[in-house]
Amino acid sequence: GKDPPPQYSSPSLSAVSSYADTNKYHIENEGRKLKSSRREDTTILSDLLECNCYPISICHFLSDMIDTGPEGNATNPFTTMEEILQDLEEMISHPYLFLHDSHSGVGIPILPAFGRQYHGRKKEVARFLEIPTRMEVSNRSVSSKSQFGNNSGKVEAIFVSGRGGSGKSHLVNKCGDFLSMQGWLVIGKKFERGLEHNAQGVVCSLFDEVVKILVMMRSGGDEQDTEYSENVAKILVDSFDASSLSSLFGYLPSIKSFLDDIAVKRTSFVESNLMHWQLVFLLTRFINALLRANRPIMLILDDLQWSDELTIELVLGDILEAVFDGKGGCNFLFAGVYRDDNMSNEHPLSAKLSNLRQSQCVHVTDIDLSSFTKRDISEIIANELRLPSRVVSELGDIVHKKTSGHIFYAVELLNALVRDSTMYFSSKTRRFQWCWDKICSLKTSDSVAQFMVSTFSTLEPEVLQMLRLLSCFGLHTDVDVLDILDASCVAPFDGIRTPLQNLSDLGFIEVAGGLVTFTHDLIQQHVYESIELEQRRTFHIEIGLFLGWKVSTSRTSSDASSLEGAVGKMYISESKSQGSVITERSLLSIATDHINHAGPEFVEQSERKSFAVWNLEVGKELSARCDFGCALHYYEQGIAFVGNEVWVDECDTNGKYFCLDLYEGAAEAASAIRNDTKVKHYTNVIIRNVPLDNSLPAWITLISSLESNGRHLEILEKGIKLIQLLNIDIPPPPPSPTAVMESMATT
């Protein structure tokens, strides 16, 4: 049957083995009787399957044990008693997989989708879960220090590393799901390749997601969740004054809906050079307030190698240290995931991890994921196809050999075998089979990238075009944006919906919550890198121009008197699940991203100023939201589009003032994120190229940056120079007492 079995006492394997040894000759005699009694055009397996009295696996088990010998018709006959015992052990250990059919026996079952379920890594999972288990025991034990040694009281941090596609995210998310069922509050976010400038936004969206969960808890109907949510609200109100809560709202906008009885409103922020410290103060106080509510929390940040230095220091430095200082380590677990094959020794994460391992307040657990073994891959195949290990052992060996145990590569190879019907469901045997000769002769590529490219080449043209279009957006794409692009020349001729569904069915993407997401970032990476550079740039230009045209159309049809006003009319969220003010982007910013990906050298000279304007508007929008790291990226992109020629063109007065806006924005943003080198560079460019009256804000930004770094001699030097430029007389220093006495002596 299909339903799970009732609870029963499983026979021990030793009892089964003893019975098999004792009744060996009886089993063989019964087998001979069955052979002699069946019709010539049937087999023992077909007779057993036709009667529909037994699970399919039992039918095969009996056939493989009985229908053997020179005239036997068993599909996979047993060769040793150990193989029989192994099959029985698997049935006893996993009855739902091997004793209960996944379909009614009528028609073809759902095709397997390798990689969707979690298999393998048992030792790594056990090591990961050992940490939260130890934390819970420590919380209950009064003698935890003697029991756990020097780790007691430290903040626990687990770092899972490995090459791309080794199953890091899958492992951490699996453990997170388990802890969530145990009452933990588990929240995770992922950094993206090429979006390092948006790293602060990812961290803010992580904490904003916590607030959203608290909002749902309050109205979810669970008494414990409701009580916890209300307790957190009280603690937050006690921990923050009205001004701080309003500032926190600027970073975590869901606070407004969570504390609906409190007058929370967006307020003006502190000076840009103090902005980073405001963010540190607010987030560290917020996390400690959460931990005071006495519920264990696990925060997950994936793909740390694609974060920036300031964000790494914020998360792995300021926040972890604040949790330790606030005595909240007993309820806090941090899980970081990173690719070690994408990270050099010069990467800021390398230095930070080295420091953390020597830290007195953080206990680090490193879990490195190596390649899968032959047994691991065989287990994945066996569980997905519901076949005994002995049946899939040879298939597992050859898949391991062709992929070197790279699990992402192995999963994609297995799914490719399903797609091209090399692996198929046999209606005769009612189980999955494969063309062994075809698999053995299969030529695999030297790398995952080459294999993925060869896989993509078998897709229908419109499906491949849709896949390439999606890859140009990165890991995620908003369905609303794709709907807008449906009328563009880059979309498939017959529309986006059918190709999207095909890609989802093939397992390349997932569509949920208004968001299209690649099932693995390696798929997106290899699709994108397989596009020729010229075609890739054309894609980006066409997407950017079409979305920018939509903004300008909105502007024309609305009352907006500026491009900035039009942006507000065309507001689209980057991710409906995030919703953070920091991470949401306007349609114009999405268009600008694509133009920036193409680069100034691929754009006509006459159009570059227009695209610089786009970057300026997006930069201003992000500065207003206090995401200065991201704003700096757009200001710098705008500067790249205008180049340096505008400063030397005496006739282009308007261009100079426009360029001044870009450089001032870049200097302010750099000051906010404590990048003093860039502050000095951008302010000096302004000072050299514009009149004094217009360069005064740059002087102030430069001197403020020097002050925040305690460089007082340079402040004095710059201050004197500025006073001289303003034609203010500096009185000479008073004469020394000795000089006065000498002067008096001569008079």
Side-chain angles (χ1 to χ4, degrees), residues 19 155 192 209 276 369 389 502 510 541 568 584 652 666 692 711 731:
Y19 176 83
V155 179
E192 286 192 47
E209 192 69 26
H276 175 76
L369 301 190
S389 297
N502 290 339
E510 293 176 347
I541 287 291
E584 288 178 336
D652 190 4
L692 179 61
R711 293 156 69 175

Side-chain angles (χ1 to χ4, degrees), residues 351-366:
K352 192 61 190 178
L353 288 176
S354 180
N355 292 337
L356 277 180
R357 294 183 183 108
Q358 308 299 322
S359 173
Q360 297 301 309
C361 60
V362 180
H363 175 245
V364 174
T365 300
D366 291 302

Side-chain angles (χ1 to χ4, degrees), residues 464-492:
L464 180 59
Q465 183 181 358
M466 189 71 232
L467 190 63
R468 288 175 170 173
L469 173 62
L470 292 173
S471 75
C472 291
F473 282 86
L475 192 60
H476 308 284
T477 317
D478 199 305
V479 174
D480 291 339
V481 175
L482 293 177
D483 285 336
I484 294 173
L485 284 173
D486 205 0
S488 71
C489 62
V490 295

Side-chain angles (χ1 to χ4, degrees), residues 404-421:
S404 300
H406 191 299
I407 186 57
F408 175 78
Y409 195 178
V411 164
E412 290 305 314
L413 176 59
L414 289 167
N415 284 327
L417 296 178
V418 174
R419 286 195 296 268
D420 66 11
S421 299

